[in-house]
Amino acid sequence: MAEEGSKWVVMVTGRSPTNIAVIKYWGKRDEGLILPINDSISLTLDPLHLSATTTVAVSPSFSRDRMWLNGKEIPLSGERYQKCLREIRKRANEVSDEKQGIKIKKEDWERLHVHISSYNNFPTAAGLASSAAGFACLVYTLAKLMNVKEDLGQISSIARQGSGSACRSLYGGFVKWAMGNNADGSDSLAIQLADETHWTDLVVIIAVVSSKQKETSSTSGMRETVQTSALIKHRAETVVPVRVSKMEEAIQNRDFASFAKLACADSNQFHAVCLDTSPPIFYMNDTSHRIINLVEKWNHSEETPQVAYTFDAGPNAVLISPNRKTAALLLQRLLFHFPPNQDTDLSSFVVGDKSILQDAGVTSMKDIETLEPPTECKDKVPYQRFTGDVSYFICTRVGSGPKVLTDETLALLDPITGLPK
Amino acid sequence: MAEEGSKWVVMVTGRSPTNIAVIKYWGKRDEGLILPINDSISLTLDPLHLSATTTVAVSPSFSRDRMWLNGKEIPLSGERYQKCLREIRKRANEVSDEKQGIKIKKEDWERLHVHISSYNNFPTAAGLASSAAGFACLVYTLAKLMNVKEDLGQISSIARQGSGSACRSLYGGFVKWAMGNNADGSDSLAIQLADETHWTDLVVIIAVVSSKQKETSSTSGMRETVQTSALIKHRAETVVPVRVSKMEEAIQNRDFASFAKLACADSNQFHAVCLDTSPPIFYMNDTSHRIINLVEKWNHSEETPQVAYTFDAGPNAVLISPNRKTAALLLQRLLFHFPPNQDTDLSSFVVGDKSILQDAGVTSMKDIETLEPPTECKDKVPYQRFTGDVSYFICTRVGSGPKVLTDETLALLDPITGLPK
């Protein structure tokens, strides 16, 4: 190792995607190790639109571990952060930085401190799974910095201890979190079912729903469900195992009808067990219900599923279409029913892959105003438009897993001081 | 029988209460006979505030069976009406009207026609169980007219074939609908657990929630739940039997804490299995959720349940307090969070037993405006007031079963013509 007191900083920047479960994780069998009561399956979302970027740096000049989240320093003392740091440090290996002429020996890692800076390219307040992307990125990037040799599955098992669903963000494409059997959690980890090139036609549209409601955190929510719901055990032990194997098959066969049926049913059942909790937990609101009704009505009128929906621990809808054509028809329907408030720009109302807007024939706010009611509504008065009930839409797709960013300008820490830029 | 062609009319007027289930009925094992998949338990509500009144008349001058509901003629051809008429006619006996000097022989009933007029003393549009009170009243009053000798349990089994929950309206107080075992439904009937004098302290406040949403009928809703929910079987076979026996015990012991815990949990589980249906069924809306949150927060802050809530197939809340003092505190909270629109009269905003208003210290609209936030909200900003989200409140209590009204001025049919007055 380069001599103590010298000013060198070695750092790595990584980017990790978020993911959306289509077979839901809800309930732990071990709170400390974050071991779930059932398997779950997720889609990794394109990091271009929804991801965490994290820079981790090490230097002999750092006097303690520190972390900044979205530019603000936060304490690292929490058990979840400590576990991730400890587990990665344990597996650290020798690192050589040839450009700087630095060699960090395996045993040095125990006394060297790190600086961590992380930010999300989407609003954390939006209730999208920011902790999944964040912990996946932290663990992945630390593992790169410390030259950890364990495979991604083992790394995912460490990320799991930061935030359960984070383990699924270690892979791109379609991912299963196997609940595992071991009491130490060593086999509770992510397995890639198929990578992001397997089923490229899928289009994901997220409706970020306006809400002033304070939400129950998923940690306390799932604890209360496990303790009080009379249905959760039956769900976890009897219903989910069948759904997991059917969902694996649907993904393998790119069978959208089965995929949609399973995803919708499992989202609804997750919210059903939340409602069966004492006191009951409501994550969906009237706008969420209206989005479901819109999709169900459309799917019913077409006789085959056009769209799958799934909702996590909040009111936002994640809508999955089998192809761009259907996604454009979906976006028309969403914009018809949930137009923006008057002072909104189209460019901030539909974000992400905006090319879907062109497919939908919407290039200006005026185009939204003049949208025709969907055919499945035409006969049935009254249809209603709920202005402002959706804050904005994010158009995205299934994407790749974590990556190291080699472009040094993307680093979040200064390469000289090791402090946030 | 008096000679054919004569103008005599014999009639009976009855009044039947509505009821609110605290252990819910949801799902049939036989659609034709209306046989449920589990027992249910209800409170009969005071007919003074919520009831159906029905006059049934017979005359040799009537050429066919006819019915008027709330003043409007409706077809009697529906299978449910036909079954009730058929089953009661089968059990008809000789009737003497000494005042008019008329004797109707047992065998005459098969060819005599009836006129039926029924009205509800509460808005049918409000989503309160009008069909329960209506069918109970129809069957009860027909049975009186035709001098049916079967006991109330047997009568309830006929009312069940009109509308399942109607069978529970044949008794006052606390009633169990035993699902029964027989394939012909003969043992699927109502049993009185305790009459209305058993637990007189209970106060019931119904919040009629504003809603423009078209609701799924309970008939089709419960069919879809039975066909598609992965949780309903577990609920009906494993969860409900335990709850029914605990609820019987809680009622027997006037144990409000247990009563409230069971009622809330079962209401929530009923809505959970609706959500677990494909497509999902939403009966509660954001206002319903807010009422639940208000009650849960208050119950939590007092450490022992102050109020039980239960919701049927709609957004209205039925709130049950252990005594008038708590009911007054509840009404204060409800009026604080859900004040009326500006142009509303207090007398139409709180109806039924208005004396609770005095106990709550509210005698004018101004008193509602100046209500203090409940203590359990004070520290926690922001509390919100949702003006106009509740249309009105009905204050009532547990009440008596069906009765014949001897006051002839209350009859809904003209004693000469047999047509609606």
Side-chain angles (χ1 to χ4, degrees):
Chain A
M1 181 171 124
E3 68 188 273
E4 294 288 339
S6 74
K7 290 293 184 192
W8 62 262
V9 173
V10 171
M11 59 190 207
V12 173
T13 299
R15 193 182 65 178
S16 287
T18 188
N19 70 76
I20 177 74
V22 287
I23 300 292
K24 298 294 189 190
Y25 153 52
W26 196 252
K28 301 184 181 80
R29 63 180 198 275
D30 184 311
E31 294 263 342
L33 291 167
I34 309 192
L35 301 177
I37 57 172
N38 56 251
D39 294 348
S40 54
I41 293 179
S42 62
L43 273 51
T44 296
L45 299 180
D46 192 338
L48 194 62
H49 307 127
L50 293 156
S51 59
T53 299
T54 303
T55 299
V56 290
V58 62
S59 167
S61 67
F62 298 166
S63 58
R64 58 191 173 93
D65 295 338
R66 296 177 73 183
M67 177 163 180
W68 294 262
L69 180 60
N70 295 320
K72 206 183 134 194
E73 183 157 12
I74 60 162
L76 262 177
S77 52
E79 185 52 24
R80 292 175 169 213
Y81 284 114
Q82 285 302 315
K83 266 195 186 156
C84 291
L85 281 166
R86 196 161 58 231
E87 293 298 320
I88 292 291
R89 270 200 175 101
K90 256 198 247 175
R91 293 163 174 84
N93 290 301
E94 188 175 290
V95 167
S96 303
D97 182 317
E98 285 173 14
K99 218 162 59 179
Q100 294 192 73
I102 298 156
K103 184 165 277 181
I104 306 171
K105 282 189 234 141
K106 196 176 157 86
E107 58 271 25
D108 292 339
W109 287 109
E110 283 302 320
R111 54 199 174 87
L112 281 169
H113 294 287
V114 293
H115 282 184
I116 303 161
S117 181
S118 189
Y119 96 107
N120 302 317
N121 67 349
F122 56 96
T124 36
L128 302 162
S130 52
S131 69
F135 273 104
C137 205
L138 171 67
V139 169
Y140 175 83
T141 314
L142 274 176
K144 290 293 172 190
L145 176 75
M146 298 188 185
N147 193 22
V148 170
K149 305 255 205 276
E150 274 74 6
D151 64 24
L152 277 180
Q154 297 306 313
I155 303 287
S156 80
S157 173
I158 297 170
R160 187 203 74 227
Q161 297 174 62
S163 172
S165 57
C167 72
R168 295 188 312 238
S169 276
L170 266 296
Y171 291 106
F174 304 81
V175 184
K176 174 162 92 167
W177 174 8
M179 61 180 285
N181 295 305
N182 301 346
D184 67 357
S186 54
D187 59 348
S188 186
L189 43 74
I191 298 160
Q192 190 176 48
L193 299 175
D195 73 15
E196 61 274 22
T197 64
H198 169 67
W199 195 357
T200 52
D201 287 343
L202 296 183
V203 176
V204 177
I205 300 180
I206 302 171
V208 178
V209 170
S210 315
S211 166
K212 285 160 234 151
Q213 212 73 17
K214 201 190 145 276
E215 278 151 28
T216 310
S217 84
S218 48
T219 299
S220 64
M222 67 177 78
R223 185 187 306 125
E224 285 161 18
T225 301
V226 169
Q227 285 168 356
T228 65
S229 166
L231 302 175
I232 183 70
K233 197 165 180 277
H234 183 71
R235 160 172 167 75
E237 293 178 1
T238 307
V239 182
V240 174
V242 178
R243 287 187 178 167
V244 163
S245 94
K246 284 188 179 169
M247 181 58 95
E248 288 191 53
E249 208 181 307
I251 290 170
Q252 206 52 53
N253 301 332
R254 300 182 197 88
D255 169 1
F256 186 76
S258 301
F259 172 87
K261 212 182 127 200
L262 289 162
C264 297
D266 208 63
S267 173
N268 290 329
Q269 187 168 90
F270 150 52
H271 292 278
V273 296
C274 287
L275 185 42
D276 190 53
T277 300
S278 173
I281 305 163
F282 311 110
Y283 286 122
M284 297 199 289
N285 64 17
D286 285 351
T287 306
S288 316
H289 293 174
R290 287 186 185 112
I291 293 173
I292 290 181
N293 287 339
L294 173 168
V295 171
E296 290 284 358
K297 195 187 209 178
W298 186 28
N299 284 349
H300 180 76
S301 77
E302 300 284 339
E303 284 170 26
T304 172
Q306 306 296 298
V307 185
Y309 56 80
T310 189
F311 294 73
D312 268 356
N316 301 329
V318 178
L319 301 159
I320 306 161
S321 304
N323 53 55
R324 284 184 66 92
K325 192 177 154 224
T326 314
L329 294 171
L330 170 64
L331 190 55
Q332 285 174 347
R333 282 163 171 79
L334 291 168
L335 294 173
F336 175 78
H337 287 288
F338 304 100
N341 288 317
Q342 281 223 309
D343 52 353
T344 313
D345 280 338
L346 183 58
S347 67
S348 62
F349 191 62
V350 180
V351 304
D353 176 7
K354 295 182 196 229
S355 67
I356 310 282
L357 267 178
Q358 271 92 61
D359 294 14
V362 174
T363 56
S364 70
M365 293 297 282
K366 201 168 156 42
D367 292 337
I368 296 180
E369 278 170 47
T370 57
L371 277 170
E372 288 286 316
T375 46
E376 69 273 15
C377 290
K378 265 182 183 155
D379 306 329
K380 293 172 193 165
V381 281
Y383 52 79
Q384 282 183 281
R385 301 189 77 174
F386 300 92
T387 304
D389 285 1
V390 171
S391 300
Y392 59 98
F393 296 98
I394 306 170
C395 299
T396 185
R397 63 181 79 84
V398 174
S400 58
K403 286 202 166 54
V404 167
L405 302 181
T406 49
D407 178 352
E408 285 175 15
T409 64
L410 298 174
L412 302 172
L413 295 170
D414 184 283
I416 307 299
T417 64
L419 291 169
K421 282 180 176 173
Chain B
M1 180 171 125
E3 70 189 270
E4 293 288 339
S6 75
K7 290 294 184 193
W8 60 265
V9 174
V10 172
M11 59 190 207
V12 173
T13 299
R15 192 181 66 177
S16 286
T18 187
N19 71 78
I20 176 75
V22 288
I23 299 293
K24 299 294 188 189
Y25 153 51
W26 196 251
K28 300 183 180 82
R29 64 181 198 274
D30 184 311
E31 292 263 344
L33 291 168
I34 311 194
L35 300 178
I37 58 174
N38 56 252
D39 294 349
S40 54
I41 293 178
S42 61
L43 272 52
T44 297
L45 299 180
D46 192 337
L48 194 63
H49 307 126
L50 292 157
S51 59
T53 298
T54 303
T55 299
V56 290
V58 61
S59 169
S61 66
F62 297 166
S63 59
R64 58 191 172 92
D65 294 339
R66 295 176 74 184
M67 178 165 179
W68 294 262
L69 181 59
N70 295 320
K72 208 184 135 193
E73 183 158 12
I74 60 162
L76 262 176
S77 53
E79 186 51 24
R80 292 175 169 215
Y81 284 114
Q82 286 302 315
K83 265 196 187 155
C84 291
L85 281 166
R86 196 160 58 231
E87 293 297 320
I88 292 291
R89 272 201 174 99
K90 256 199 245 175
R91 294 166 175 81
N93 290 300
E94 187 174 292
V95 168
S96 304
D97 183 316
E98 285 172 17
K99 218 163 58 181
Q100 296 193 73
I102 299 155
K103 185 166 276 182
I104 306 171
K105 282 187 236 142
K106 197 176 154 87
E107 58 271 24
D108 293 338
W109 287 109
E110 281 304 318
R111 53 196 175 90
L112 282 170
H113 295 288
V114 292
H115 282 186
I116 303 161
S117 181
S118 189
Y119 96 105
N120 302 317
N121 68 348
F122 55 96
T124 35
L128 302 163
S130 52
S131 69
F135 273 105
C137 206
L138 171 67
V139 169
Y140 175 82
T141 314
L142 274 176
K144 289 294 174 190
L145 177 73
M146 299 189 185
N147 193 21
V148 170
K149 305 251 202 279
E150 273 74 5
D151 65 23
L152 276 178
Q154 297 306 314
I155 303 286
S156 82
S157 174
I158 297 170
R160 189 202 73 227
Q161 298 176 58
S163 172
S165 57
C167 73
R168 295 187 312 239
S169 275
L170 267 295
Y171 291 106
F174 303 81
V175 183
K176 175 162 92 167
W177 174 8
M179 61 181 286
N181 295 306
N182 301 348
D184 67 356
S186 54
D187 60 348
S188 186
L189 42 75
I191 297 161
Q192 190 176 49
L193 299 175
D195 73 17
E196 62 273 22
T197 64
H198 169 67
W199 195 356
T200 53
D201 286 344
L202 297 182
V203 176
V204 177
I205 299 180
I206 302 171
V208 178
V209 169
S210 315
S211 167
K212 285 161 232 150
Q213 211 75 17
K214 199 190 146 280
E215 278 149 27
T216 310
S217 83
S218 47
T219 298
S220 65
M222 67 176 79
R223 185 187 306 126
E224 285 160 18
T225 300
V226 169
Q227 285 169 356
T228 66
S229 167
L231 302 175
I232 184 69
K233 198 166 178 280
H234 183 72
R235 161 173 167 73
E237 293 178 2
T238 308
V239 182
V240 173
V242 178
R243 287 187 179 168
V244 163
S245 94
K246 284 187 178 170
M247 182 57 95
E248 289 191 54
E249 207 180 309
I251 290 170
Q252 208 51 53
N253 301 331
R254 301 184 196 87
D255 169 0
F256 187 77
S258 302
F259 172 87
K261 214 182 126 197
L262 289 162
C264 297
D266 208 63
S267 172
N268 290 329
Q269 187 170 89
F270 151 51
H271 292 279
V273 297
C274 287
L275 186 41
D276 189 52
T277 300
S278 173
I281 305 163
F282 311 110
Y283 287 122
M284 296 197 290
N285 64 17
D286 285 350
T287 306
S288 315
H289 294 174
R290 287 187 185 111
I291 293 172
I292 289 181
N293 287 339
L294 172 169
V295 171
E296 290 284 359
K297 196 189 213 175
W298 186 28
N299 284 350
H300 180 77
S301 78
E302 300 283 340
E303 284 171 26
T304 172
Q306 305 297 298
V307 185
Y309 55 79
T310 189
F311 294 72
D312 269 355
N316 302 329
V318 177
L319 302 158
I320 305 159
S321 305
N323 53 57
R324 284 184 66 93
K325 194 179 150 216
T326 315
L329 294 170
L330 170 64
L331 190 56
Q332 285 175 346
R333 282 164 171 80
L334 292 168
L335 294 172
F336 175 79
H337 286 289
F338 305 100
N341 289 318
Q342 281 222 309
D343 51 354
T344 315
D345 280 337
L346 182 58
S347 66
S348 62
F349 192 60
V350 180
V351 303
D353 176 7
K354 295 181 195 225
S355 68
I356 310 283
L357 269 176
Q358 270 92 62
D359 293 15
V362 174
T363 56
S364 69
M365 294 297 281
K366 200 165 155 45
D367 291 338
I368 296 181
E369 278 170 46
T370 57
L371 277 170
E372 288 286 315
T375 46
E376 69 274 15
C377 290
K378 267 185 180 152
D379 306 330
K380 293 173 192 164
V381 281
Y383 50 78
Q384 282 182 280
R385 301 189 77 173
F386 300 93
T387 304
D389 284 3
V390 171
S391 300
Y392 59 98
F393 296 98
I394 306 170
C395 298
T396 185
R397 63 181 79 83
V398 174
S400 57
K403 284 201 168 54
V404 168
L405 303 181
T406 49
D407 178 351
E408 284 175 15
T409 64
L410 297 174
L412 302 172
L413 295 171
D414 184 283
I416 307 298
T417 64
L419 290 170
K421 281 181 177 173

